[in-house]
Amino acid sequence: MQSFRTELENPLVEKDIVDLERKIRLFREGKIHEEKFRSLRLARGVYGQRQQGVQMVRIKLPYGKMTFNQWKRIADISDEYSTGNLHLTTRQDIQIHFVSLDRTPELWAKLEQDDITLREACGNTVRNVTASPTAGIDPQEPFDVTPYADATFRYFLRNPICQEMGRKFKISFSSSDADTALSYMHDLGFVPKIKDGQRGFKVLVGGGLGAQPALAHLYHEFLPVDQLIPTVEAVLRIFDRHGERNSRHKARLKFLIAKIGFDEFKRLVTEEWTALKSKTYTIEAPVEAALEVPTGSLAYATDEVYNQWLKSNVFPQKQSGYYGVFVRVPLGNIHSETSRSLIGQIEPYVANDVRVSINQGLLFRFVKAEDLPRVYEILAAHELAQPGANSTANITACPGTDTCNLAISDSTSISLELEKVIGQEFPDLIFNNDILIKISGCMNACGQHSMAQIGLHGSSMKAPDKRVLPALQVLLGGGTLGDGSGRVADKVIKIPSKRGPQALRWILNDYEQNANDGEYFNDYYDRQGEKYFYGILKPLTDLSTVVDSDFVDWGQTESFATEIGVGECASVIIDLVATLLFETEEKFDWAEQALKEGRYADSIYYSYSVFVSGAKALLLDKSVSVSTQHAVIKEFDKQFVESGEFSFAGQTFTERVLQINQQEPSPEFAERFLGEALDFLQRAKAFREEAVAAKA
């Protein structure tokens, strides 16, 4: 695998890939613990599948943008290393499946030749920074948020403050008050504002979906754009230090805020300001180039399907004379051959800036009115001209039991069945953008079911004869309200999966027959109430009438069983304390290197990590387990300093370590803190060696 290393121009990227290859080898040799290796590979976009021995690789596309060359590169990679399928996700990434772990470094290296990264696409990191796909062309936007989303992505990629957090962290940028990037369900969400002629953002913090969805808190009504990066950094530092690390189910930012209170959270963030690398951070927003206004105008034709497509999938951009075209991609799956053929034909008519949308589709930009018929013909020839790209008819679904370890029941085949119900019985819903249907294979909400007007997630039920059958939890009433506000759907009832189409049919029929003229679905739901819809669907829960086919999930041929996929296993016993100390040495090396390169803030944070990692190792050797970095620091004082086993020149361990948020990131402090970290590392290693010798 030597050849791919010399083709990369970026030494940081090359180091990353070589390190991944080395860690895979050490894992295979049983020298890295399985849990640690999982964390490492996830932070490099490599995710275990339900099927043993293969991986899902998540390709990180900031704000969903890709050029034609990047799209073609991903298609070629999928052919060479995967199945040829490209799966577009609700977080504007692209996933490919069934990849051999040992080939992932080579795959990554080839992607990087077109500036495509896997880094931090999964794991306890800052995940893909998402944004409204219409950013830059949205007629309602105060300004283009693309440069700010891009700067956020780049600033925190490989940033030491967010490499090993207790849990993932999600950031979104909406283009306008319509909030199409769903700021209210993110750890940090930004909605653009203009105040006194200046650019800024409304800031939402602490939102999230999953099994326990929570709406975000209003953090700032108006944050000037030069405070964007410092604010994100301060929040991340607090999340890293105080966030839960033992229980994954309680490890998101929303749980930290609930635990300590919103006022205390804000106080901690403010307290962190002294230690920030930059107190202000200027992001250059390029001046929009003047465009020649096309002469054509939007024209309907005699072809009714074309007119439906034009009405539902096409919209005028803020740039006069140009149009955006949404492409409906069934289940977010598009084949590599289709991709290459589409690129070759569509390229003359659209901008070299394709966006993946959060409903698993595509957006083509800067299409001239006179080119719309040709664009439609090309899409139709590739079976991608279905109308209703952002409507009820276009159901969002995660991969579910097709590939995911955590999925309980199917979410993809059932989506196709529900789309048939809409297409055959409610065809006008291709023009309805008020009712969105979203499905997840489990309660974790990768399909974003808990913020849909009609949401479903995979589950199971037990029949009277004790057999288990696949089920769907039905949720109603979620959605986006705009300007940073949203609604979480109510869990209404659980039904057998095979009765999902009937449930949808009854819900939509009731709405059509009983809603007032112009009454939105959620307004109707609120008027009738949860118990009303429970009553409508209750007959579907009668398990005395189940038949054998009810025990076979959608898209399957064998009886249903609740299973969790198997990940990699090193099948060896590892000394966890030794592993942690090894990692501590590695962090010191990073701190030393950063100091030599003049990256003082990075060096300081790595030195801080030396203290925390080393302390955690020694606490583990005493069988003491704590759930946050802050608790590690406090507990080390209790277990080692108060007992006299460690001393720090009249300081407590807490006082020494937490200098990090009390000092400016100066070269003098960085050098001193590194020296103190080295002293602690050497003493920790010696202490461990003596402990091992005493036990021998």
Side-chain angles (χ1 to χ4, degrees):
M1 300 183 64
Q2 296 294 321
S3 59
F4 73 82
R5 299 179 188 172
T6 58
E7 297 173 5
L8 299 176
E9 297 179 0
N10 188 328
L12 284 177
V13 174
E14 183 168 342
K15 182 177 181 295
D16 255 356
I17 296 171
V18 172
D19 185 56
L20 175 60
E21 182 188 15
R22 181 173 69 89
K23 294 293 175 58
I24 290 173
R25 186 173 65 253
L26 291 173
F27 170 69
R28 295 294 196 202
E29 295 170 356
K31 297 178 181 178
I32 296 182
H33 187 267
E34 179 186 2
E35 287 299 317
K36 182 59 189 175
F37 178 70
R38 180 182 289 115
S39 173
L40 182 138
R41 64 170 170 76
L42 284 171
R44 281 125 183 103
V46 182
Y47 193 98
Q49 280 189 206
R50 192 178 191 87
Q51 297 78 9
Q52 190 172 3
V54 291
Q55 315 293 315
M56 177 270 283
V57 170
R58 183 175 292 151
I59 297 165
K60 195 172 186 179
L61 299 175
Y63 47 95
K65 178 183 178 180
M66 59 181 173
T67 64
F68 290 123
N69 282 343
Q70 289 175 326
W71 187 1
K72 184 177 182 302
R73 171 73 67 174
I74 295 169
D76 292 344
I77 288 292
S78 185
D79 280 344
E80 185 174 357
Y81 297 91
S82 179
T83 62
N85 185 58
L86 281 62
H87 178 69
L88 314 180
T89 80
T90 57
R91 292 206 59 75
Q92 300 177 290
D93 298 302
I94 291 181
Q95 294 174 177
I96 60 176
H97 296 85
F98 301 97
V99 178
S100 165
L101 175 65
D102 295 327
R103 301 188 73 192
T104 53
E106 181 182 325
L107 176 157
W108 186 4
K110 290 184 177 180
L111 284 173
E112 286 283 0
Q113 291 173 21
D114 272 303
D115 194 27
I116 307 167
T117 191
L118 307 183
R119 182 72 193 237
E120 295 150 54
C122 309
N124 301 328
T125 61
V126 173
R127 298 289 186 87
N128 195 27
V129 175
T130 61
S132 301
T134 55
I137 63 173
D138 185 347
Q140 304 303 317
E141 66 184 22
F143 55 88
D144 182 6
V145 300
T146 302
Y148 304 95
D150 187 76
T152 302
F153 156 71
R154 297 188 186 283
Y155 189 90
F156 293 103
L157 188 70
R158 298 183 178 84
N159 194 308
I161 69 171
C162 52
Q163 295 306 298
E164 294 181 294
M165 297 184 294
R167 203 70 167 86
K168 59 191 173 184
F169 196 96
K170 296 180 178 180
I171 300 173
S172 77
F173 288 81
S174 284
S175 60
S176 72
D177 284 357
D179 201 10
T180 54
L182 316 179
S183 65
Y184 60 90
M185 52 155 275
H186 282 77
D187 295 290
L188 274 172
F190 298 94
V191 181
K193 302 287 181 180
I194 298 287
K195 182 178 180 181
D196 299 329
Q198 301 298 311
R199 292 181 174 188
F201 292 99
K202 184 176 188 176
V203 184
L204 289 304
V205 64
L209 296 182
Q212 299 180 58
L215 298 174
H217 302 261
L218 175 62
Y219 190 43
H220 288 288
E221 279 286 359
F222 184 84
L223 180 75
V225 290
D226 66 358
Q227 296 295 294
L228 169 67
I229 294 298
T231 298
V232 177
E233 180 176 348
V235 169
L236 284 169
R237 291 167 72 103
I238 295 306
F239 181 52
D240 190 36
R241 189 173 311 134
H242 294 271
E244 169 70 32
R245 289 174 181 269
N246 287 350
S247 173
R248 286 177 57 81
H249 299 296
K250 297 291 184 182
R252 294 295 298 276
L253 181 63
K254 60 186 178 183
F255 294 114
L256 172 61
I257 292 174
K259 178 181 177 181
I260 66 176
F262 191 47
D263 288 341
E264 173 64 7
F265 171 75
K266 291 190 291 184
R267 186 192 70 78
L268 289 171
V269 172
T270 301
E271 190 178 71
E272 205 68 21
W273 215 258
T274 300
L276 298 184
K277 184 186 302 186
S278 304
K279 308 303 186 291
T280 61
Y281 190 90
T282 301
I283 298 170
E284 296 296 334
V287 177
E288 293 184 9
L291 296 171
E292 180 180 346
V293 180
T295 55
S297 60
L298 195 63
Y300 288 87
T302 56
D303 184 341
E304 183 57 29
V305 178
Y306 172 73
N307 289 339
Q308 289 178 343
W309 174 83
L310 206 62
K311 182 179 177 181
S312 62
N313 290 24
V314 177
F315 67 95
Q317 297 184 183
K318 71 177 185 181
Q319 293 84 3
S320 178
Y322 290 93
Y323 294 84
V325 175
F326 282 105
V327 181
R328 185 173 164 184
V329 180
L331 298 176
N333 293 322
I334 184 168
H335 199 273
S336 56
E337 292 181 3
T338 303
S339 297
R340 281 188 292 269
S341 175
L342 185 58
I343 292 167
Q345 295 179 47
I346 206 82
E347 191 170 0
Y349 306 104
V350 307
N352 189 21
D353 179 351
V354 179
R355 303 285 173 104
V356 177
S357 69
I358 65 169
N359 63 350
Q360 301 171 296
L362 297 169
L363 174 62
F364 293 136
R365 301 150 69 92
F366 290 95
V367 182
K368 298 176 182 178
E370 58 265 33
D371 291 333
L372 284 169
R374 178 57 183 150
V375 168
Y376 172 77
E377 290 174 3
I378 294 169
L379 290 172
H382 292 84
E383 299 183 347
L384 291 171
Q386 285 181 285
N390 298 305
S391 75
T392 311
N394 187 20
I395 296 175
T396 300
C398 73
T401 50
D402 291 353
T403 56
C404 180
N405 268 329
L406 301 177
I408 299 171
S409 63
D410 172 81
S411 55
T412 55
S413 297
I414 179 63
S415 298
L416 298 177
E417 296 299 322
L418 298 182
E419 287 187 356
K420 288 179 186 176
V421 171
I422 295 169
Q424 294 168 8
E425 302 177 38
F426 306 91
D428 288 346
L429 290 181
I430 62 170
F431 303 116
N432 186 308
N433 299 332
D434 167 53
I435 305 172
L436 299 181
I437 303 174
K438 297 177 181 288
I439 306 177
S440 301
C442 70
M443 71 291 294
N444 286 308
C446 292
Q448 300 176 343
H449 64 269
S450 48
M451 48 69 58
Q453 283 75 21
I454 301 176
L456 303 162
H457 80 66
S459 189
S460 62
M461 302 176 78
K462 188 171 289 187
D465 62 3
K466 306 302 181 183
R467 288 189 294 167
V468 178
L469 67 160
L472 292 169
Q473 174 70 53
V474 180
L475 301 92
L476 298 174
T480 301
L481 301 176
D483 197 23
S485 297
R487 295 169 50 128
V488 174
D490 295 325
K491 290 184 177 180
V492 176
I493 200 166
K494 187 192 293 187
I495 61 172
S497 291
K498 286 298 179 69
R499 298 175 184 176
Q502 184 65 21
L504 179 63
R505 184 178 293 114
W506 286 359
I507 292 168
L508 293 178
N509 272 329
D510 180 80
Y511 173 59
E512 282 196 350
Q513 293 167 11
N514 299 315
N516 297 326
D517 289 344
E519 187 173 25
Y520 290 122
F521 179 84
N522 276 354
D523 292 335
Y524 178 66
Y525 173 75
D526 290 342
R527 178 162 65 85
Q528 298 286 28
E530 179 184 338
K531 290 183 179 179
Y532 173 82
F533 284 92
Y534 176 87
I536 290 175
L537 301 176
K538 183 66 169 66
L540 297 178
T541 66
D542 182 4
L543 300 186
S544 66
T545 60
V546 293
V547 296
D548 287 345
S549 60
D550 290 322
F551 293 90
V552 180
D553 207 354
W554 293 103
Q556 303 298 313
T557 57
E558 298 181 358
S559 293
F560 174 78
T562 52
E563 296 178 351
I564 298 296
V566 180
E568 304 89 344
C569 180
S571 300
V572 294
I573 297 174
I574 303 289
D575 183 342
L576 290 177
V577 178
T579 299
L580 277 171
L581 286 173
F582 171 76
E583 292 171 7
T584 306
E585 290 181 304
E586 194 172 44
K587 289 175 171 62
F588 175 79
D589 290 342
W590 296 339
E592 189 174 44
Q593 184 64 33
L595 182 65
K596 290 177 181 177
E597 295 173 359
R599 295 184 288 115
Y600 303 118
D602 289 354
S603 176
I604 291 165
Y605 211 86
Y606 283 133
S607 293
Y608 161 78
S609 299
V610 169
F611 284 110
V612 174
S613 182
K616 185 177 180 180
L618 296 190
L619 286 169
L620 183 61
D621 204 31
K622 285 191 173 185
S623 300
V624 176
S625 177
V626 285
S627 62
T628 69
Q629 288 185 348
H630 192 260
V632 166
I633 297 166
K634 296 291 186 182
E635 191 65 25
F636 192 85
D637 268 327
K638 180 179 178 181
Q639 296 290 335
F640 290 93
V641 178
E642 292 178 12
S643 67
E645 293 172 283
F646 271 77
S647 61
F648 298 94
Q651 287 182 312
T652 63
F653 186 66
T654 301
E655 289 169 337
R656 174 149 295 191
V657 177
L658 291 188
Q659 294 177 89
I660 187 173
N661 67 354
Q662 299 166 7
Q663 301 281 341
E664 295 279 348
S666 64
E668 294 79 17
F669 176 59
E671 185 171 1
R672 176 166 61 82
F673 205 44
L674 179 68
E676 292 171 346
L678 175 60
D679 175 68
F680 176 68
L681 172 60
Q682 291 172 337
R683 291 164 63 192
K685 288 168 61 179
F687 187 91
R688 164 66 173 168
E689 289 169 3
E690 291 175 7
V692 171
K695 293 176 183 178

